[in-house]
Amino acid sequence: MSTRHPIALTIAGSDSSGGAGIQADLKTFAAHQIYGASVLVALTAQNTKGVSAIHAVPAAFVAQQMDAVFEDLDVEAVKIGMLATAELIETVAAGLKRHKARNIVLDPVMIAASGARLLENEAVAAIRRHLFPLASLITPNLPEAAALLGTSVAETEDAVERQADALAALGASNVLIKGGHGGGDSSSDLLLLAGGSRQRFAAPRLTTRNTHGTGCTLSSAIASGLAKGLSLPEAVGHAKTYISAAIAAADEVPVGHGHGPVHHFHHWWDRQDGRQP
């Protein structure tokens, strides 16, 4: 008897080194037993040390990819990552509306872990205007939340809560501000739900430079939970547990000479020899 697996779609850029972007999203889907489909909106020449070039995919071809996926596959969740330009943002938004996409997790990727800018300045307003109203959840980190609001990075829990409220006022239904860029012994993420209720998800802050693709992985894990029918708080909670374990195991699979990736398959690989237990 065949077993049906939920389907999730990632709409994002490619990371040629495999640690972030489309590649991280598909690995995360697979780790959660989700069938992953993809729409590429940009190519990057990238490794663990940085991004050396970005090539945006023509908007018309992005629309064709979206049509091909949605016309054939029963997509139950969508993760959106790097979109690069305002034109691509508008194209993706139009495709999501055209196909009545559901369970949309928007990770407003702006700057890579290496510091390279991945989004044109004028595209920030396009994200707010075209994608906020469609997203079930937006997942900015602290610098991204500040950039979306045109303000300074929040340094206190009260400031994070105010920024979450401000993002909701701009049209975001639910907001998860990630605290990985903050200080202290704990990494705390704030979930603001429609209606105003708040919930925090905390984990011990881990010491490692191998955090490449952390944001992509977390948002894809949340989309995986939504595709399985979990509530939003449940999906966020499961995703927080998953990413924390993936970061904790990152040093055990060293990749590259810069900011290496998290270990997406930490649950499946034997940490001594790489074999599945």
Side-chain angles (χ1 to χ4, degrees):
M1 178 184 295
S2 62
T3 301
R4 179 182 176 277
H5 291 282
I7 298 172
L9 168 66
T10 168
I11 304 174
S14 168
D15 172 5
S16 50
S17 69
I22 288 279
Q23 289 84 346
D25 298 340
L26 293 176
K27 290 174 184 177
T28 303
F29 292 160
H32 287 81
Q33 297 181 305
I34 300 292
Y35 182 88
S38 61
V39 168
L40 261 67
V41 299
L43 309 176
T44 68
Q46 181 176 177
N47 57 31
T48 64
K49 296 184 288 185
V51 180
S52 57
I54 297 174
H55 176 69
V57 174
F61 187 67
V62 170
Q64 288 177 315
Q65 292 180 75
M66 293 184 71
D67 290 343
V69 171
F70 279 105
E71 289 171 1
D72 184 41
L73 278 60
D74 183 14
V75 177
E76 297 187 53
V78 179
K79 177 269 169 91
I80 302 173
M82 171 191 175
L83 293 182
T85 70
E87 181 185 19
L88 288 171
I89 290 167
E90 293 175 16
T91 298
V92 168
L96 295 172
K97 290 179 182 177
R98 188 164 59 250
H99 295 289
K100 298 180 175 59
R102 59 191 185 275
N103 292 324
I104 299 169
V105 179
L106 169 63
D107 186 25
V109 179
M110 299 181 184
I111 299 174
S114 63
R117 188 165 186 89
L118 303 176
L119 183 72
E120 295 178 352
N121 288 328
E122 59 269 25
V124 176
I127 286 180
R128 295 193 300 258
R129 182 182 312 116
H130 298 289
L131 291 178
F132 271 28
L134 302 177
S136 306
L137 176 71
I138 66 170
T139 64
N141 59 32
L142 292 170
E144 289 163 350
L148 287 166
L149 294 169
T151 188
S152 57
V153 175
E155 296 182 351
T156 66
E157 289 190 357
D158 286 344
V160 172
E161 293 202 7
R162 289 194 297 271
Q163 290 195 1
D165 288 333
L167 290 168
L170 290 174
S173 297
N174 301 283
V175 180
L176 179 71
I177 298 185
K178 301 172 293 190
H181 287 74
D185 296 331
S186 177
S187 174
S188 178
D189 303 341
L190 172 67
L191 175 63
L192 172 64
L193 295 171
S197 64
R198 290 163 162 75
Q199 189 171 346
R200 286 195 174 272
F201 299 85
R205 190 176 300 279
L206 302 169
T207 302
T208 177
R209 69 175 185 174
N210 296 325
T211 56
H212 185 52
T214 302
C216 304
T217 300
L218 178 67
S219 55
S220 295
I222 295 170
S224 297
L226 295 177
K228 290 180 175 181
L230 298 183
S231 69
L232 185 53
E234 288 175 329
V236 171
H238 281 278
K240 182 70 172 180
T241 299
Y242 170 75
I243 190 60
S244 297
I247 294 171
D251 293 352
E252 298 176 16
V253 186
V255 175
H257 298 88
H259 295 282
V262 302
H263 190 352
H264 295 92
F265 299 109
H266 58 271
H267 179 71
W268 302 100
W269 289 11
D270 183 288
R271 296 180 182 178
Q272 296 301 315
D273 58 14
R275 293 181 300 179
Q276 181 174 325

